[in-house]
Amino acid sequence: MYTHTSINTTEDKPTAIAVLTSGGDSPGMNPAIRGVVRAALHQGIKVFGVHKGYSGLIIGDMWEMDSASVTNIVQRGGTLLKSDRCQAFLDPAVRHQAAEVLLKKGIDSLVVIGGDGSLTGAHMLASESSIRVIGLPGTIDNDIYGTDDTIGFDTAVNTALDAIDKIRDTALSHECLFLVEVMGRNSGFIATHVGIACGAELVVIPEYEVEVDAISFQLANNRVQGKGSSGIIVVAEGPTPGLTYNLAKQLEQHGQRPKVCILGHIQRGGRPTGHDRVLASCLGAAAVDYLCGGYNDVMIGIKNGAIAETPLQHIIDKKKQLDAQLFEHVQLLHK
Ligand code: F6P
């Protein structure tokens, strides 16, 4: 698991590698950083940690790392390097400045760990400068084309499940319905996986439109069929957190009395699961192998259980599709 086809790692060794984390943090970013640092040092390549994503890169806020710099972080949530959503990086002049900063420090390669926005920035830097850039998919949302799995997704799903298992106790005790809002912005990967794993009655996700009438009908039907008087509906947050309160109001007009629980940022924090630690560590080490093999402007992810690259351009152009069967399974398994 998580091996890649043999790459000639003496092809084009970088002089020095910088590594940064960007966008929303995700549990597993630390083991990914550790993977990059330790693999680079093993190859005899200098490695620099950039503080606060692209914001730090622009102003040259970075330091040389050694093996001890990443000691005792494999089990920690968040990111040792800190992260930021850097709007300034959308400006080509700012990206030019970032490339100049790296070149002046003798750094010719960069590893970017982040979500789709961060990987878009990575592609732009790679295509506009001589810096070689490798992206790693670091987001809890699992919404990145070119990889079956993203760093942090498994932990976020398990964190949500921990919370929902507790909410379920209250739902059962009070015989009531809960709408639990999970993260995932415009994608329903977290909601669907959580929905299956917690035995939800329904999931509401951006990929499939569902009428309030239909939800209400289904709930009533479930009660008639004697499926208990409590329930959990998992709702993906969509463009703005808190929209689930609107859904609750609409359901009230149909005679339901749901309680709302927004899980929010607790899904982004916490110790990465074993799965995310292995995934992140292997992808971090693979990023260095790919750089040494002469690769540029690609993301390293997982396809069918193995490590594989995808051009960063594809990540921008293509949308990862949610497996429709998974969505259908939520309702099927509740029957
Ligand atoms: O992309 C990761 C994510 O956690 C989304 O699931 C969520 O919609 C968004 O980031 C929240 O961003 P912020 O931390 O900026 O509020």
Short mmCIF file of all heavy atoms in Angstrom, two decimals, residues 2 4 27-39 73-75 113 136 151 272-289 300 302 307:
data_model
loop_
_atom_site.label_atom_id
_atom_site.label_comp_id
_atom_site.label_asym_id
_atom_site.label_seq_id
_atom_site.Cartn_x
_atom_site.Cartn_y
_atom_site.Cartn_z
N TYR A 2 0.42 2.27 -0.73
CA TYR A 2 1.11 3.56 -0.79
C TYR A 2 2.55 3.49 -1.28
O TYR A 2 3.45 4.15 -0.76
CB TYR A 2 1.09 4.29 0.56
CG TYR A 2 -0.29 4.59 1.07
CD1 TYR A 2 -0.52 4.75 2.42
CD2 TYR A 2 -1.38 4.71 0.21
CE1 TYR A 2 -1.78 5.02 2.91
CE2 TYR A 2 -2.64 4.97 0.68
CZ TYR A 2 -2.83 5.12 2.04
OH TYR A 2 -4.08 5.39 2.51
N HIS A 4 4.98 3.68 -4.88
CA HIS A 4 4.86 4.22 -6.24
C HIS A 4 5.78 3.45 -7.16
O HIS A 4 6.72 2.80 -6.71
CB HIS A 4 5.14 5.72 -6.29
CG HIS A 4 6.48 6.12 -5.73
ND1 HIS A 4 7.67 5.84 -6.36
CD2 HIS A 4 6.81 6.76 -4.59
CE1 HIS A 4 8.66 6.31 -5.64
NE2 HIS A 4 8.18 6.87 -4.56
N PRO A 27 -5.77 17.60 9.78
CA PRO A 27 -4.97 16.70 10.61
C PRO A 27 -4.18 15.74 9.74
O PRO A 27 -4.76 15.01 8.93
CB PRO A 27 -6.02 15.95 11.45
CG PRO A 27 -7.35 16.55 11.13
CD PRO A 27 -7.22 17.36 9.89
N GLY A 28 -2.89 15.78 9.87
CA GLY A 28 -2.01 14.98 9.00
C GLY A 28 -1.01 15.88 8.29
O GLY A 28 -0.04 15.39 7.70
N MET A 29 -1.23 17.20 8.36
CA MET A 29 -0.24 18.08 7.73
C MET A 29 1.12 17.90 8.41
O MET A 29 2.16 17.92 7.74
CB MET A 29 -0.70 19.54 7.80
CG MET A 29 -1.75 19.87 6.74
SD MET A 29 -2.25 21.59 6.79
CE MET A 29 -3.02 21.76 5.15
N ASN A 30 1.12 17.72 9.73
CA ASN A 30 2.41 17.55 10.43
C ASN A 30 3.17 16.30 9.96
O ASN A 30 4.35 16.41 9.62
CB ASN A 30 2.20 17.55 11.95
CG ASN A 30 2.17 18.96 12.49
OD1 ASN A 30 2.78 19.86 11.93
ND2 ASN A 30 1.43 19.17 13.58
N PRO A 31 2.54 15.12 9.94
CA PRO A 31 3.29 13.97 9.40
C PRO A 31 3.73 14.16 7.95
O PRO A 31 4.77 13.64 7.55
CB PRO A 31 2.33 12.79 9.53
CG PRO A 31 1.11 13.27 10.20
CD PRO A 31 1.29 14.71 10.59
N ALA A 32 2.97 14.94 7.18
CA ALA A 32 3.38 15.18 5.78
C ALA A 32 4.66 16.03 5.75
O ALA A 32 5.59 15.75 5.00
CB ALA A 32 2.25 15.86 5.01
N ILE A 33 4.68 17.06 6.61
CA ILE A 33 5.89 17.92 6.69
C ILE A 33 7.09 17.06 7.10
O ILE A 33 8.18 17.14 6.53
CB ILE A 33 5.68 19.05 7.73
CG1 ILE A 33 4.54 19.99 7.32
CG2 ILE A 33 6.97 19.83 7.96
CD1 ILE A 33 4.01 20.86 8.45
N ARG A 34 6.85 16.23 8.12
CA ARG A 34 7.92 15.35 8.62
C ARG A 34 8.44 14.43 7.51
O ARG A 34 9.65 14.22 7.36
CB ARG A 34 7.35 14.53 9.78
CG ARG A 34 8.30 13.52 10.40
CD ARG A 34 7.60 12.93 11.61
NE ARG A 34 8.30 11.83 12.23
CZ ARG A 34 8.11 10.55 11.95
NH1 ARG A 34 7.25 10.20 11.00
NH2 ARG A 34 8.78 9.61 12.58
N GLY A 35 7.49 13.92 6.70
CA GLY A 35 7.87 13.04 5.58
C GLY A 35 8.77 13.77 4.59
O GLY A 35 9.79 13.23 4.15
N VAL A 36 8.40 15.01 4.26
CA VAL A 36 9.21 15.79 3.30
C VAL A 36 10.60 16.04 3.89
O VAL A 36 11.62 15.82 3.23
CB VAL A 36 8.51 17.14 2.98
CG1 VAL A 36 9.41 18.03 2.13
CG2 VAL A 36 7.16 16.93 2.28
N VAL A 37 10.62 16.51 5.14
CA VAL A 37 11.90 16.90 5.76
C VAL A 37 12.85 15.70 5.88
O VAL A 37 14.00 15.75 5.44
CB VAL A 37 11.66 17.55 7.15
CG1 VAL A 37 12.97 17.77 7.90
CG2 VAL A 37 10.91 18.87 6.99
N ARG A 38 12.33 14.62 6.41
CA ARG A 38 13.21 13.47 6.66
C ARG A 38 13.67 12.83 5.33
O ARG A 38 14.82 12.42 5.20
CB ARG A 38 12.50 12.44 7.54
CG ARG A 38 12.19 12.97 8.96
CD ARG A 38 13.16 12.40 9.98
NE ARG A 38 13.17 13.16 11.23
CZ ARG A 38 12.53 12.80 12.36
NH1 ARG A 38 11.79 11.70 12.39
NH2 ARG A 38 12.63 13.55 13.44
N ALA A 39 12.77 12.78 4.34
CA ALA A 39 13.16 12.19 3.04
C ALA A 39 14.18 13.08 2.33
O ALA A 39 15.13 12.58 1.71
CB ALA A 39 11.93 11.98 2.16
N ILE A 73 6.14 15.39 16.16
CA ILE A 73 4.97 16.07 15.56
C ILE A 73 4.05 15.10 14.83
O ILE A 73 2.96 15.48 14.42
CB ILE A 73 5.36 17.22 14.59
CG1 ILE A 73 6.11 16.70 13.35
CG2 ILE A 73 6.15 18.30 15.30
CD1 ILE A 73 6.17 17.70 12.21
N VAL A 74 4.49 13.85 14.64
CA VAL A 74 3.71 12.93 13.80
C VAL A 74 2.28 12.73 14.35
O VAL A 74 1.34 12.50 13.60
CB VAL A 74 4.47 11.58 13.64
CG1 VAL A 74 4.41 10.73 14.90
CG2 VAL A 74 3.96 10.78 12.45
N GLN A 75 2.13 12.87 15.66
CA GLN A 75 0.83 12.61 16.29
C GLN A 75 0.01 13.88 16.50
O GLN A 75 -1.09 13.83 17.04
CB GLN A 75 1.04 11.89 17.64
CG GLN A 75 1.49 12.77 18.81
CD GLN A 75 2.97 13.14 18.79
OE1 GLN A 75 3.63 13.06 17.75
NE2 GLN A 75 3.50 13.57 19.92
N ILE A 113 1.44 21.84 0.55
CA ILE A 113 0.46 20.92 1.13
C ILE A 113 -0.81 21.73 1.39
O ILE A 113 -0.81 22.66 2.20
CB ILE A 113 0.99 20.31 2.46
CG1 ILE A 113 2.39 19.72 2.27
CG2 ILE A 113 0.00 19.28 3.01
CD1 ILE A 113 3.12 19.40 3.57
N LEU A 136 0.70 18.40 -2.54
CA LEU A 136 0.14 17.26 -1.81
C LEU A 136 -1.27 17.64 -1.37
O LEU A 136 -1.49 18.77 -0.90
CB LEU A 136 0.99 16.94 -0.57
CG LEU A 136 2.43 16.46 -0.80
CD1 LEU A 136 3.10 16.13 0.54
CD2 LEU A 136 2.46 15.23 -1.70
N ILE A 151 -5.28 14.16 2.79
CA ILE A 151 -4.72 14.16 4.14
C ILE A 151 -5.68 14.89 5.08
O ILE A 151 -5.95 16.08 4.87
CB ILE A 151 -3.33 14.85 4.13
CG1 ILE A 151 -2.35 14.06 3.25
CG2 ILE A 151 -2.81 15.05 5.55
CD1 ILE A 151 -1.07 14.82 2.90
N PRO A 272 -4.20 13.25 14.23
CA PRO A 272 -4.53 12.50 13.01
C PRO A 272 -4.68 11.01 13.31
O PRO A 272 -3.97 10.47 14.17
CB PRO A 272 -3.34 12.75 12.08
CG PRO A 272 -2.25 13.31 12.93
CD PRO A 272 -2.87 13.90 14.16
N THR A 273 -5.61 10.36 12.62
CA THR A 273 -5.77 8.91 12.78
C THR A 273 -4.53 8.20 12.22
O THR A 273 -3.75 8.79 11.45
CB THR A 273 -6.99 8.41 11.97
OG1 THR A 273 -6.79 8.79 10.59
CG2 THR A 273 -8.29 9.00 12.48
N GLY A 274 -4.41 6.92 12.55
CA GLY A 274 -3.30 6.13 12.00
C GLY A 274 -3.31 6.17 10.48
O GLY A 274 -2.27 6.32 9.83
N HIS A 275 -4.52 6.07 9.91
CA HIS A 275 -4.65 6.10 8.45
C HIS A 275 -4.05 7.40 7.88
O HIS A 275 -3.26 7.37 6.93
CB HIS A 275 -6.13 5.98 8.07
CG HIS A 275 -6.38 6.16 6.62
ND1 HIS A 275 -6.36 5.11 5.73
CD2 HIS A 275 -6.64 7.27 5.87
CE1 HIS A 275 -6.60 5.58 4.50
NE2 HIS A 275 -6.76 6.88 4.58
N ASP A 276 -4.44 8.54 8.47
CA ASP A 276 -3.93 9.81 7.95
C ASP A 276 -2.43 9.97 8.18
O ASP A 276 -1.73 10.59 7.36
CB ASP A 276 -4.70 10.99 8.57
CG ASP A 276 -5.97 11.29 7.78
OD1 ASP A 276 -6.00 11.00 6.56
OD2 ASP A 276 -6.93 11.80 8.38
N ARG A 277 -1.93 9.42 9.27
CA ARG A 277 -0.48 9.53 9.53
C ARG A 277 0.32 8.76 8.47
O ARG A 277 1.34 9.24 7.99
CB ARG A 277 -0.13 8.98 10.91
CG ARG A 277 -0.71 9.80 12.03
CD ARG A 277 -0.26 9.27 13.37
NE ARG A 277 -1.22 9.60 14.40
CZ ARG A 277 -1.02 9.40 15.69
NH1 ARG A 277 0.11 8.89 16.10
NH2 ARG A 277 -1.94 9.72 16.57
N VAL A 278 -0.18 7.56 8.13
CA VAL A 278 0.54 6.75 7.13
C VAL A 278 0.44 7.42 5.76
O VAL A 278 1.45 7.60 5.06
CB VAL A 278 -0.04 5.31 7.08
CG1 VAL A 278 0.62 4.50 5.96
CG2 VAL A 278 0.16 4.61 8.41
N LEU A 279 -0.79 7.83 5.41
CA LEU A 279 -1.00 8.49 4.12
C LEU A 279 -0.09 9.72 3.98
O LEU A 279 0.64 9.88 2.99
CB LEU A 279 -2.48 8.92 4.02
CG LEU A 279 -2.87 9.80 2.84
CD1 LEU A 279 -2.82 9.01 1.54
CD2 LEU A 279 -4.28 10.38 3.04
N ALA A 280 -0.13 10.59 5.00
CA ALA A 280 0.63 11.85 4.93
C ALA A 280 2.13 11.59 4.91
O ALA A 280 2.86 12.23 4.14
CB ALA A 280 0.26 12.71 6.14
N SER A 281 2.59 10.65 5.73
CA SER A 281 4.03 10.36 5.78
C SER A 281 4.52 9.86 4.42
O SER A 281 5.57 10.29 3.92
CB SER A 281 4.33 9.29 6.84
OG SER A 281 3.88 9.71 8.10
N CYS A 282 3.74 8.93 3.83
CA CYS A 282 4.15 8.34 2.54
C CYS A 282 4.11 9.39 1.43
O CYS A 282 5.00 9.45 0.58
CB CYS A 282 3.27 7.15 2.18
SG CYS A 282 3.50 5.77 3.30
N LEU A 283 3.08 10.25 1.44
CA LEU A 283 2.99 11.28 0.40
C LEU A 283 4.12 12.31 0.57
O LEU A 283 4.69 12.78 -0.42
CB LEU A 283 1.63 11.98 0.43
CG LEU A 283 0.43 11.14 -0.05
CD1 LEU A 283 -0.87 11.95 0.02
CD2 LEU A 283 0.62 10.62 -1.47
N GLY A 284 4.45 12.63 1.82
CA GLY A 284 5.55 13.58 2.07
C GLY A 284 6.86 13.04 1.51
O GLY A 284 7.59 13.74 0.80
N ALA A 285 7.14 11.78 1.81
CA ALA A 285 8.39 11.17 1.32
C ALA A 285 8.36 11.05 -0.21
O ALA A 285 9.37 11.30 -0.88
CB ALA A 285 8.58 9.80 1.96
N ALA A 286 7.18 10.71 -0.75
CA ALA A 286 7.06 10.56 -2.21
C ALA A 286 7.29 11.89 -2.93
O ALA A 286 7.86 11.93 -4.03
CB ALA A 286 5.68 10.01 -2.57
N ALA A 287 6.87 13.00 -2.31
CA ALA A 287 7.05 14.32 -2.95
C ALA A 287 8.54 14.54 -3.23
O ALA A 287 8.91 15.06 -4.30
CB ALA A 287 6.50 15.42 -2.04
N VAL A 288 9.39 14.13 -2.29
CA VAL A 288 10.85 14.31 -2.48
C VAL A 288 11.34 13.38 -3.60
O VAL A 288 12.11 13.80 -4.47
CB VAL A 288 11.60 14.04 -1.16
CG1 VAL A 288 13.11 14.09 -1.37
CG2 VAL A 288 11.16 15.04 -0.10
N ASP A 289 10.85 12.13 -3.61
CA ASP A 289 11.24 11.20 -4.69
C ASP A 289 10.87 11.78 -6.06
O ASP A 289 11.65 11.71 -7.00
CB ASP A 289 10.50 9.86 -4.53
CG ASP A 289 11.11 8.99 -3.44
OD1 ASP A 289 12.19 9.35 -2.94
OD2 ASP A 289 10.49 7.97 -3.08
N ILE A 300 0.87 14.79 -6.00
CA ILE A 300 1.05 13.37 -5.69
C ILE A 300 -0.12 12.94 -4.80
O ILE A 300 -0.33 13.52 -3.73
CB ILE A 300 2.38 13.12 -4.92
CG1 ILE A 300 3.56 13.82 -5.59
CG2 ILE A 300 2.65 11.63 -4.79
CD1 ILE A 300 3.84 13.41 -6.98
N ILE A 302 -3.28 9.44 -4.24
CA ILE A 302 -3.50 7.99 -4.21
C ILE A 302 -4.54 7.62 -5.26
O ILE A 302 -5.64 8.16 -5.27
CB ILE A 302 -4.04 7.56 -2.81
CG1 ILE A 302 -3.08 7.98 -1.69
CG2 ILE A 302 -4.32 6.06 -2.78
CD1 ILE A 302 -1.73 7.30 -1.71
N ILE A 307 0.51 5.22 -4.92
CA ILE A 307 0.86 6.63 -5.09
C ILE A 307 0.99 6.93 -6.58
O ILE A 307 1.59 6.16 -7.33
CB ILE A 307 2.18 6.94 -4.35
CG1 ILE A 307 1.92 6.87 -2.83
CG2 ILE A 307 2.74 8.29 -4.75
CD1 ILE A 307 3.13 7.07 -1.97
#
